[in-house]
Amino acid sequence: MAAEAAAWFVAATLLGFACHQAALHGTDWRWLVLWLEQPGTVHPQHPGYLVLGRGLWALLAPFGADAYTALRLLSALGGGLAVAATFAAAERLAADRGFARAVALATAGTPVVCHFATVVELHAPFLGLAALANLAAVAWAQRHSAACAVATGALTGLATTVHATGHLLVPALWGAVGLALGFGSWRRALGQGLLGAASHALVWGGWFAAIRALGHLPESVTAFATTAPDDLAAPDHPLAYLARWWRGMHLLEQGPATLRVEFLVALAPVSLLAWAALGRRPLRRFALWFAAVAALYIVVTVALVHARTDERGAYLIPLAAPAVVLALRALPRRTWPLLAAGSLLCGGLLRGEPGRLPPDLAFGRAAAALAEQEPLVFFVADLPEMDGAFRCNPRLELRVARKEYDDLLQDPQLRAAASEPQQVVAWLLGVIRADAVRRGARLCITDQAVDYLTARLPAFAAAWPQFLQVSRAERLPPAVGIAGVRVP
């Protein structure tokens, strides 16, 4: 088993690295790269991730790898470890190598696993450690061993330092082990469970405290304490972060969209097929427990995303393997190849953020080169220009027309002012240009940003020539490689 598990690890890691997505996920990747490049910087909620990233980068740096490449490989390694540990857990669970192989294939293909193993984010490395905890929990249920309970707790604690949602693994795994042990062994299970919970708390708490004591929080986080203490990103530890986001949760309004995007799509097809286990008496109690755990995860996810962002199932990623196991155990063996193939197909089709285009790296290289000559703030259109700029130099100063437009829509006064050309000119001068001046830089506005706002603000087309005249903006020469203007 060990040799085949190692083979699964190598194959899944290489495939994840080779299939890395050109398009990015979210915007946190930029901060992860920046913080990794700053010695001693600690992630405020998930400190273990940067420790793993720094260790891997130290190994790769002599070969010329940059921070982004190190984190890219870390995601692939996390996905590979998750697949290998899931294979080993399934083989131990059923003593059936064919079943274990089907579980490994279907888990690897689940869209949420396929996605996060191929982007820079925290969730694949977290899943790898969570999968090791699953393996330890299976051993705990089979051996009735206090040592296995302690090992399970230690691994969930370690996983929780990489992503704070690892705390949810404790009720999820402990309940599953209790069901496996049965009512006759609950007294023993309770004592072992307390040992495991203590192990989880000690490992997580000790490791969290040690990393925080030896490092320092990023300036971008500590600045919130004085400039924006009520900002959603201001909390410097996970419980405060969850409590802050919990305020804006509206479960009935935001729950259905979250259920569809973060569970049904992200875990397809097993998000639907797993419920076949309810029709099988030996599996029913586990299916009901899975439903309870999934409900807990979904409520937490609603609090964290508010149905505003598409996280591709990030916070529900530990549910992928249990859903696969339930689906396979409930369905006839002859259907296992079809389920594994269907999962791989869903992973290939559904990974990636809908509509997220690859970074405009040509623009990014030109912007990075121009910024080396003088301080500049770039006013760009949308994600391709933003991603291209940050991929080439995550320290570039940007304002993004897409976000500015969204802010205009949310502010009634700004929205009303944007209907008049003179007010648009005043906004460009008093907000956009003034921000660059405060940073001691000149403003560079791309043609794509102008096109973006012209298509959305009726007054922008008339306001733009006035702004060019008032600001004395000059056209960038073609040799620069950026279509746009620079404002003195």
Side-chain angles (χ1 to χ4, degrees):
M1 181 181 72
E4 185 166 348
W8 279 102
F9 169 72
V10 172
T13 298
L14 291 176
L15 189 61
F17 190 76
C19 295
H20 185 78
Q21 298 179 60
L24 302 166
H25 173 87
T27 57
D28 288 348
W29 68 268
R30 179 212 174 198
W31 295 108
L32 296 176
V33 171
L34 282 173
W35 295 346
L36 189 66
E37 293 177 344
Q38 298 169 5
T41 299
V42 175
H43 194 296
Q45 281 82 42
H46 320 294
Y49 177 79
L50 290 181
V51 172
L52 293 177
R54 267 194 198 98
L56 184 58
W57 192 23
L59 295 175
L60 296 176
F63 303 97
D66 60 7
Y68 183 88
T69 301
L71 295 184
R72 171 186 167 186
L73 179 57
L74 182 59
S75 290
L77 287 167
L81 180 59
V83 172
T86 298
F87 166 81
E91 205 279 337
R92 178 182 286 275
L93 181 68
D96 182 339
R97 190 152 295 188
F99 174 76
R101 289 167 180 165
V103 169
L105 278 173
T107 301
T110 304
V112 62
V113 177
C114 188
H115 176 72
F116 284 103
T118 56
V119 295
V120 170
E121 250 292 359
L122 296 83
H123 304 286
F126 162 70
L127 179 63
L129 293 171
L132 287 178
N134 286 343
L135 177 58
V138 170
W140 175 16
Q142 291 180 336
R143 297 177 181 174
H144 301 195
S145 163
C148 290
V150 171
T152 303
L155 287 166
T156 58
L158 188 61
T160 305
T161 66
V162 177
H163 199 277
T165 55
H167 288 302
L168 299 178
L169 293 171
V170 175
L173 290 180
W174 273 234
V177 170
L179 290 175
L181 292 175
F183 291 101
S185 301
W186 271 35
R187 179 175 296 181
R188 176 188 292 180
L190 179 60
Q192 293 178 355
L194 291 174
L195 283 175
S199 174
H200 168 89
L202 287 172
V203 170
W204 173 74
W207 192 224
F208 188 100
I211 298 172
R212 290 287 292 265
L214 295 173
H216 58 83
L217 292 174
E219 293 181 3
S220 54
V221 173
T222 56
F224 280 119
T226 55
T227 60
D230 292 327
D231 192 281
L232 290 172
D236 62 357
H237 62 86
L239 293 179
Y241 185 86
L242 178 61
R244 181 71 56 86
W245 279 87
W246 203 277
R247 297 178 190 173
M249 182 181 72
H250 301 285
L251 186 59
L252 295 180
E253 296 176 15
Q254 300 163 351
T258 301
L259 175 66
R260 176 178 58 82
V261 173
E262 307 295 334
F263 180 74
L264 293 177
V265 173
L267 273 69
V270 292
S271 54
L272 296 175
L273 296 176
W275 305 112
L278 291 169
R280 299 284 301 276
R281 185 180 297 275
L283 300 175
R284 189 170 297 152
R285 67 185 188 276
F286 293 102
L288 290 172
W289 179 246
F290 176 78
V293 171
L296 173 62
Y297 270 90
I298 290 168
V299 169
V300 171
T301 301
V302 172
L304 291 172
V305 304
H306 295 177
R308 292 202 305 250
T309 57
D310 184 344
E311 290 291 350
R312 313 308 297 159
Y315 304 116
L316 283 76
I317 198 169
L319 302 183
V324 167
V325 169
L326 284 174
L328 288 171
R329 293 294 292 269
L331 297 174
R333 189 182 187 97
R334 65 180 180 274
T335 67
W336 291 357
L338 293 176
L339 189 149
S343 182
L344 290 166
L345 179 63
C346 287
L349 294 176
L350 299 176
R351 73 169 189 161
E353 291 184 33
R356 185 75 174 250
L357 297 175
D360 185 346
L361 295 177
F363 167 77
R365 287 189 289 268
L370 190 61
E372 290 180 357
Q373 301 175 20
E374 62 175 322
L376 289 171
V377 172
F378 294 91
F379 190 30
V380 301
D382 204 348
L383 295 176
E385 284 190 327
M386 182 191 80
D387 291 342
F390 284 148
R391 275 287 285 111
C392 294
N393 183 352
R395 292 176 177 77
L396 289 177
E397 300 284 355
L398 303 185
R399 293 192 73 120
V400 184
R402 176 180 181 172
K403 182 181 185 305
E404 302 298 336
Y405 176 71
D406 289 343
D407 290 345
L408 286 175
L409 292 182
Q410 294 174 13
D411 189 316
Q413 292 183 338
L414 290 175
R415 186 170 65 245
S419 63
E420 296 292 334
Q422 294 81 2
Q423 296 297 328
V424 173
V425 173
W427 170 69
L428 287 170
L429 290 171
V431 176
I432 305 302
R433 184 194 179 195
D435 173 66
V437 172
R438 280 194 298 271
R439 302 189 202 190
R442 297 172 70 183
L443 178 66
C444 179
I445 306 177
T446 70
D447 287 353
Q448 289 192 34
V450 174
D451 293 342
Y452 185 96
L453 293 174
T454 300
R456 290 162 178 79
L457 292 177
F460 195 86
W464 181 244
Q466 298 180 34
F467 171 77
L468 291 176
Q469 183 177 7
V470 172
S471 66
R472 303 190 307 279
E474 57 188 23
R475 190 80 188 165
L476 289 168
V480 169
I482 297 175
V485 299
R486 180 164 43 195
V487 181

